[in-house]
Amino acid sequence: MGVYVTENCVDCRYTECVKVCPVSCFHADEKMVYVDNEICIDCFACIPACPVQAILGEEDLAEEQQKWIEINRERSAVLPVIKKSVDPLSTADAKRAALGF
Amino acid sequence: MTAVPRVVIVGAGPGGFYAAEALFDLGLGVEVSMIDRLPSPFGLVRSGVAPDHPNLKKPIETYDAIARQPGFRYFGNVEVGRDVSVDELLQVHHAVVLCYGAPRDTGLGIPGETLPGSHAATEFVGWYNGHPDYRDCHFDLTQESVVIVGQGNVALDVARILLHGVDELRKTDIAEHALDALAASRVREIRIVGRRGPAQAKFTSRELGEIGVLPAADVRVSPADLMLNPASREEAAARTSVNLKKNLGIFARYALSVGSGPVACYFNFLESPLEIGGDGRVERITLGKNRLEGEPFAQRAVATGAAREVGCGLMFRAVGYRGDALPGVPFDERRGVVHCESGRVISDAGPMSGLYAAGWIKRGATGIIGTNRACSGETVEALAADLPGLVQAPRGGAVALAGLLEGRGVRTVDYPAWLRIDAEEVRRGRIAGCPRRKFTRVDDMLGVAFA
């Protein structure tokens, strides 16, 4: 179990996930958002909300994505909670296009 | 702005609490009152979320924190439309936000639907969750064959509760009367029926996968049903169809027959109930075969004319829900929701000043708990934009509402009184070895609230 924000969020940070999180478990820095899995209830509301499919359940993490478990844990512990969505980063649309979404 | 904004929210479910949260987060010192028909708050998180999904009840901790914010006041055991009207609420507040949900099932509209043994899934869900409205419902669990019509998560909730052993359920906050009835269950066959195909089923994949790991279940899907038509293949191939792809994978596993438990659990596709038959109670159901027509993502079920009959002693319909109209509030009869745009309630003459809606009564019964947070956020954004025009004169707010209700002899349950009920439920649960043993009658709740 567990929900993790992965590389597709970097330079996008659309924060659509933040709008639908029922327990406000997202944290943000200037690059992306992270999930605090101590608070997350595994409802998966955020997973389909992300326009670039950056958010994955633990069972869907590929081998090379396993590192995001630790990154989400570490970063969410030190960053402030983000309760409301904010404008995407200026690089978001270019990254999204590059990802093919 | 010239006055403290005073807002009242009708309905203490997720939509209501997320509206309250968004109002507080405006940082304008808004006073927020919240009314609920029941003494207990939290709506479907308390009485809809299945007892075997305790994680999904955790938003209650978030709602409790919102309820403890300065400026919040709870009015439980108050029914809008009976104890107080929407007009009266508008007179003493700057804004009213309707979040009273969509609890009514839409029905199938087929012969035999009212026979004993044919039920709305909402009744069963309310019953096992201890909702007072459904306390005296009776479900004949001595029947061996159950048909559940619908392919959303409510259908899976009903199936799962029937498939769980009572020893498992005993550790949850399920209603005691439901435990007693389920202990005597003789259900041996569950058939989940949907009018469209496996690619169109609304189940979320995790809930779908859960059925297969229940020890009691012997899950069966016909491999022929997984042969998709071209439009469905296109739906499945889309990059955004993440849940759908997972569902198809799970159905493919189920087609190999998963589990060896005593209860056969069938997923039947492309079938619509045409008629429920029986001598004084449900004994059989006629299922008409469908095929899909239309463009990808807009395929409709069309009857082929073929039909079959299956034996069934108990039937649940989980096919859609609608809200009830309130006097003076424009209502979309077709969709069963309040008529609104971006959360503003709209009459023929345009937006109604100070009247808003959020949650299921605004957008219909779709989405999960978190969907309501975005929904209420949008409504409060509209309300905040209108606020400068609304707060020209002071309004009585919570104090005026309390006075009005007291004058009418309404016994309102405030938040501290709810916390007494809550503590007593938790205490009873501790004795029974479960997280909470709910009160299932309003009078019992009031007895604790006013002790």
Side-chain angles (χ1 to χ4, degrees), chain B residues 121-188:
Chain B
T122 45
E123 295 165 3
F124 190 64
V125 170
W127 172 78
Y128 66 62
N129 275 324
H131 191 298
D133 284 2
Y134 307 100
R135 174 64 180 85
D136 297 313
C137 287
H138 174 75
F139 303 94
D140 184 2
L141 299 173
T142 66
Q143 296 298 325
E144 293 193 357
S145 299
V146 177
V147 166
I148 304 169
V149 180
Q151 287 187 320
N153 284 345
V154 175
L156 293 180
D157 284 346
V158 170
R160 231 174 37 251
I161 294 299
L162 292 171
L163 285 161
H164 269 303
V166 280
D167 288 339
E168 279 305 304
L169 293 174
R170 214 179 289 284
K171 300 173 201 154
T172 74
D173 70 354
I174 192 169
E176 199 171 11
H177 57 249
L179 267 185
D180 294 342
L182 287 162
S185 168
R186 287 162 62 183
V187 171
R188 281 294 168 270

Side-chain angles (χ1 to χ4, degrees), chain B residues 109-407:
Chain B
I110 60 171
E113 197 171 358
T114 56
L115 280 172
S118 161
H119 306 275
T122 45
E123 295 165 3
F124 190 64
V125 170
W127 172 78
Y128 66 62
N129 275 324
H131 191 298
D133 284 2
Y134 307 100
R135 174 64 180 85
D136 297 313
C137 287
H138 174 75
F139 303 94
D140 184 2
L141 299 173
T142 66
Q143 296 298 325
E144 293 193 357
S145 299
V146 177
V147 166
I148 304 169
V149 180
Q151 287 187 320
N153 284 345
V154 175
L156 293 180
D157 284 346
V158 170
R160 231 174 37 251
I161 294 299
L162 292 171
L163 285 161
H164 269 303
V166 280
D167 288 339
E168 279 305 304
L169 293 174
R170 214 179 289 284
K171 300 173 201 154
T172 74
D173 70 354
I174 192 169
E176 199 171 11
H177 57 249
L179 267 185
D180 294 342
L182 287 162
S185 168
R186 287 162 62 183
V187 171
R188 281 294 168 270
E189 179 189 278
I190 297 171
R191 201 176 285 283
I192 300 172
V193 178
R195 67 195 155 113
R196 297 196 291 168
Q200 290 77 35
K202 301 280 187 210
F203 308 126
T204 52
S205 56
R206 187 180 36 170
E207 275 73 11
L208 181 61
E210 255 180 309
I211 291 280
V213 297
L214 295 177
D218 171 11
V219 187
R220 300 180 194 184
V221 169
S222 160
D225 279 341
L226 300 182
M227 310 273 272
L228 303 183
N229 67 350
S232 296
R233 282 205 296 275
E234 204 170 311
E235 290 173 18
R239 199 172 178 191
T240 48
S241 299
V242 177
N243 188 72
L244 192 168
K245 285 191 190 82
K246 282 193 191 177
N247 279 0
L248 292 177
I250 295 167
F251 284 134
R253 271 200 296 122
Y254 288 171
L256 302 171
S257 188
V258 168
S260 54
V263 184
C265 184
Y266 298 91
F267 286 89
N268 289 162
F269 299 102
L270 293 166
E271 287 188 307
S272 293
L274 300 179
E275 184 174 358
I276 302 164
D279 185 9
R281 64 172 186 84
V282 173
E283 289 174 350
R284 59 190 172 274
I285 178 165
T286 308
L287 299 173
K289 196 72 193 164
N290 300 325
R291 62 182 149 76
L292 293 174
E293 270 185 15
E295 296 297 304
F297 297 106
Q299 295 190 82
R300 290 170 298 112
V302 178
T304 64
R308 64 168 176 154
E309 209 174 82
V310 297
C312 143
L314 189 57
M315 203 206 80
F316 298 101
R317 51 182 189 275
V319 292
Y321 313 94
R322 52 185 289 120
D324 293 324
L326 271 177
V329 179
F331 198 71
D332 181 336
E333 280 297 338
R334 191 182 59 81
R335 295 180 56 221
V337 296
V338 165
H339 200 273
C340 53
E341 282 173 28
S342 312
R344 291 185 182 91
V345 177
I346 309 285
S347 74
D348 292 339
M352 293 180 71
S353 179
L355 194 56
Y356 302 85
W360 276 8
I361 198 61
K362 165 186 167 187
R363 67 177 199 281
T366 60
I368 58 179
I369 297 169
T371 317
N372 295 292
R373 188 155 180 270
C375 182
S376 296
E378 183 199 51
T379 295
V380 170
E381 214 169 282
L383 192 159
D386 300 344
L387 207 51
L390 294 170
V391 293
Q392 296 299 321
R395 296 282 166 89
V399 171
L401 176 59
L404 190 147
L405 292 168
E406 199 184 331

